[in-house]
Amino acid sequence: MSESIKHEAVKGVAWTSIEKMGSQVIQVVLNIVLARLLTPKDYGVVAMTTIFTMIATTFIDSGFGNALIQKKEKSQADYSTCFWFNIMVGIGMYALFYISAPYIANFYRMPLLINVCRIIGLAFIFNSMTISQTAMLTVNLQFKQLSIVSISTQVFTGIFSIILAYNGWGVWALVFQIVMSSLIRLLAIEIVTRWIPTKEFCRDSFNHLFGFGSKLLCSNLINCIYSNIYALVIGRIYNANDVGYFNRANQFALLPGSSITEVVMKVAYPVMAKFQDDNNKLCNAYKKFLSLPLFVLWPILGIMVALAKPFIVVVIGEKWLPSVPYLQILALGAMFAPLTQINLNILFVKGRTDLVLRLEVIKKTIAFIILIVSIPFGIIWMVIGKAIYDLIAYAINCHYTKKIIGFGFFEQIKYNMPIFLMSLFAYVMASLICLGIKSYLSQLIFGTIISMTSYILISYIIGNNNMKELILIIKSLKNKTV
């Protein structure tokens, strides 16, 4: 990378890290408080709607946000066309969701879902009005502004939902949290950008954005259905409590990876797009963005697997104990999520959303076969199948990375092996602590401290490059050079 681009990348990672660290702290605190005030059933009811809300959200974006970022020359007409299209789809999705609410409630045999769906659906309209502005800030690498929007939104909605839950609103605390989050984010992003769309709807702009985004829409839709199909199946076959246990475990397992991946992907995409015509520079930039998230994520997940039981008991209470084995298995699968997403980034940068769609069709065919086969054996085997698929998906996504920049599955495994071995050591240290201490609180505290300290010391002793990159980012934050 040139020094200017590298500087922008470091700034981007630093500010996005502030956003994600701040958001993660807020989200963890919020989850702890709400999980103690609410029941697994409350979470299960909202989780039952997730597959439908996520499908609607996928249609609302339609890949236009990524299309704007990927396009070399953007005009006001491009942003305005995206804005008006997204709003039209958002209103249409809400109308469809409103009409479909009784059928969704009937599917789950839960009348409460009628009103739940109709209120949650309001978020579609608010979210549709922020896609162009978010793309605009991302293109200009204005991650400081995005951080302000994200953190302020979480603070206000977090306080709001806790007040509702404390006063006995139950599931409605979660429902109104979703709606208020989308509304406050809309207001915040308007204050930050002060952008007003023009009245024009350019057909040429729409054709270009749709040409890129339509294939991405299909692939995102397939991925969206799969990502949320487990809650749907469990809710239909079992009950809302089981959905709550699974959903809570899945959220905890995905939280570190999703946050870290989002930090890297948000910065990597616009930066790597600058090298889309030079495969050598693209490969070098790709390696930089590949290993750093794993360096942070893998030890966290290893410790999470080892300390799952004390973590659940101490953080959200014994009523959530059935989610412990789910958390351990899903955390293992979550190790591959960043690798899977970052490998797809190469195709986004190259504008090959047709290949992204092809990969999604292949992967999700395998995924649904695994799910169908595992259903008769119970939830635990469904979860195991999901973790196995995460590894398969990563391996498949490496196919085109190998063809384009010559850095495929086995090269990546070899490249990241030192991080895996250090993370395995952290897992062993945390497990040994659990064997010698009976108190769950002490297991959680000492297991985390000792295993993370060991991991950091080993990284420092062997001079791991990721440790140096992380120190650089921390210094950027400390010195406020961003």
Side-chain angles (χ1 to χ4, degrees):
M1 297 186 194
S2 67
E3 286 302 315
S4 61
I5 295 177
K6 183 176 181 179
H7 178 65
E8 289 299 317
V10 171
K11 285 176 62 178
V13 170
W15 271 111
T16 312
S17 298
I18 290 175
E19 174 195 344
K20 293 287 50 169
M21 285 189 293
S23 296
Q24 196 163 15
V25 169
I26 295 169
Q27 191 172 350
V28 168
V29 172
L30 178 62
N31 283 336
I32 292 172
V33 176
L34 288 178
R36 290 184 173 276
L37 293 173
L38 303 175
T39 67
K41 183 179 179 180
D42 293 328
Y43 279 93
V45 170
V46 173
M48 287 175 175
T49 70
T50 303
I51 187 169
F52 305 105
T53 58
M54 292 305 295
I55 289 173
T57 300
T58 302
F59 272 109
I60 291 168
D61 178 80
S62 294
F64 277 37
N66 277 316
L68 281 172
I69 297 171
Q70 193 273 341
K71 190 178 181 184
K72 291 183 178 180
E73 300 293 334
K74 295 89 166 170
S75 66
Q76 176 73 0
D78 293 325
Y79 288 109
S80 296
T81 300
C82 175
F83 181 84
W84 295 119
F85 172 77
N86 293 145
I87 285 183
M88 288 187 290
V89 178
I91 294 173
M93 285 294 105
Y94 177 67
L96 180 61
F97 201 55
Y98 189 94
I99 295 170
S100 302
Y103 302 100
I104 295 173
N106 184 59
F107 175 81
Y108 286 116
R109 299 179 292 271
M110 187 172 290
L112 174 65
L113 283 172
I114 296 177
N115 290 329
V116 168
C117 289
R118 287 175 172 174
I119 294 176
I120 286 179
L122 292 170
F124 301 160
I125 300 174
F126 301 138
N127 288 333
S128 70
M129 301 171 70
T130 64
I131 295 170
S132 289
Q133 299 93 313
T134 301
M136 189 182 300
L137 292 172
T138 303
V139 166
N140 296 322
L141 302 180
Q142 294 179 288
F143 300 107
K144 176 180 178 179
Q145 289 81 353
L146 286 170
S147 300
I148 293 171
V149 170
S150 177
I151 293 176
S152 61
T153 298
Q154 282 203 308
V155 169
F156 283 113
T157 56
I159 295 172
F160 179 74
S161 59
I162 289 174
I163 291 174
L164 292 182
Y166 181 78
N167 285 280
W169 284 62
V171 67
W172 297 106
L174 300 175
V175 171
F176 286 114
Q177 178 193 11
I178 294 171
V179 178
M180 287 299 297
S181 178
S182 60
L183 176 58
I184 292 176
R185 187 177 190 278
L186 169 60
L187 297 175
I189 209 165
E190 279 299 317
I191 292 172
V192 168
T193 62
R194 298 187 181 278
W195 178 75
I196 300 176
T198 62
K199 295 180 180 180
E200 61 185 320
F201 185 92
C202 180
R203 188 168 183 175
D204 290 338
S205 293
F206 175 80
N207 289 338
H208 178 86
L209 297 175
F210 187 77
F212 181 97
S214 58
K215 302 178 187 70
L216 189 56
L217 166 63
C218 293
S219 62
N220 285 344
L221 190 59
I222 295 170
N223 186 56
C224 172
I225 293 172
Y226 172 73
S227 298
N228 297 282
I229 195 70
Y230 280 82
L232 183 145
V233 172
I234 294 171
R236 175 64 179 176
I237 298 176
Y238 299 95
N239 55 55
N241 283 322
D242 290 314
V243 177
Y245 294 135
F246 170 81
N247 189 59
R248 178 54 44 204
N250 195 43
Q251 286 184 343
F252 277 130
L254 294 179
L255 181 60
S258 62
S259 299
I260 293 169
T261 303
E262 188 175 344
V263 169
V264 176
M265 290 285 285
K266 191 177 289 187
V267 178
Y269 189 25
V271 170
M272 290 170 64
K274 299 178 185 295
F275 306 130
Q276 58 185 278
D277 299 322
D278 189 327
N279 286 346
N280 289 328
K281 290 183 178 179
L282 182 60
C283 183
N284 290 332
Y286 174 77
K287 289 180 179 179
K288 290 285 186 181
F289 287 116
L290 178 68
S291 59
L292 185 58
L294 302 184
F295 179 77
V296 178
L297 174 64
W298 279 2
I300 294 175
L301 291 177
I303 294 170
M304 183 177 288
V305 173
L307 304 177
K309 187 172 183 179
F311 174 79
I312 291 294
V313 172
V314 172
V315 173
I316 56 178
E318 293 189 2
K319 63 182 177 183
W320 292 95
L321 271 175
S323 64
V324 169
Y326 305 156
L327 175 59
Q328 291 174 313
I329 298 168
L330 292 169
L332 290 174
M335 292 178 62
F336 305 104
L339 291 164
T340 302
Q341 291 300 317
I342 296 173
N343 273 276
L344 274 186
N345 212 28
I346 294 292
L347 298 181
F348 293 151
V349 167
K350 288 292 186 177
R352 296 302 305 272
T353 51
D354 57 323
L355 299 181
V356 174
L357 177 57
R358 181 184 301 176
L359 287 177
E360 286 305 315
V361 171
I362 295 171
K363 290 185 300 183
K364 293 313 181 287
T365 300
I366 296 172
F368 284 115
I369 291 173
I370 293 174
L371 173 60
I372 292 170
V373 170
S374 64
I375 287 175
F377 299 97
I379 298 177
I380 194 71
W381 280 101
M382 292 168 61
V383 173
I384 292 172
K386 188 176 186 300
I388 292 173
Y389 166 73
D390 288 334
L391 173 59
I392 295 173
Y394 162 52
I396 293 175
N397 274 13
C398 289
H399 174 70
Y400 286 112
T401 309
K402 174 70 173 179
K403 292 185 68 174
I404 294 172
I405 63 173
F407 195 62
F409 178 77
F410 293 106
E411 290 85 358
Q412 292 180 32
I413 292 295
K414 181 179 179 181
Y415 188 76
N416 293 306
M417 185 55 67
I419 301 176
F420 173 77
L421 294 176
M422 291 189 297
S423 301
L424 181 62
F425 181 76
Y427 163 80
V428 172
M429 292 296 294
S431 298
L432 291 175
I433 293 297
C434 288
L435 293 176
I437 301 176
K438 292 184 178 181
S439 167
Y440 287 136
L441 179 60
S442 298
Q443 287 178 6
L444 185 60
I445 294 174
F446 290 108
T448 301
I449 293 174
I450 293 175
S451 55
M452 283 304 298
T453 301
S454 302
Y455 181 82
I456 294 171
L457 284 175
I458 293 174
S459 302
Y460 183 79
I461 291 171
I462 67 175
N464 189 277
N465 288 330
N466 292 291
M467 175 63 77
K468 296 176 182 178
E469 293 288 338
L470 194 60
I471 291 174
L472 176 63
I473 293 172
I474 293 173
K475 285 182 177 179
S476 296
L477 297 175
K478 182 178 179 181
N479 297 329
K480 299 182 179 179
T481 60
V482 297

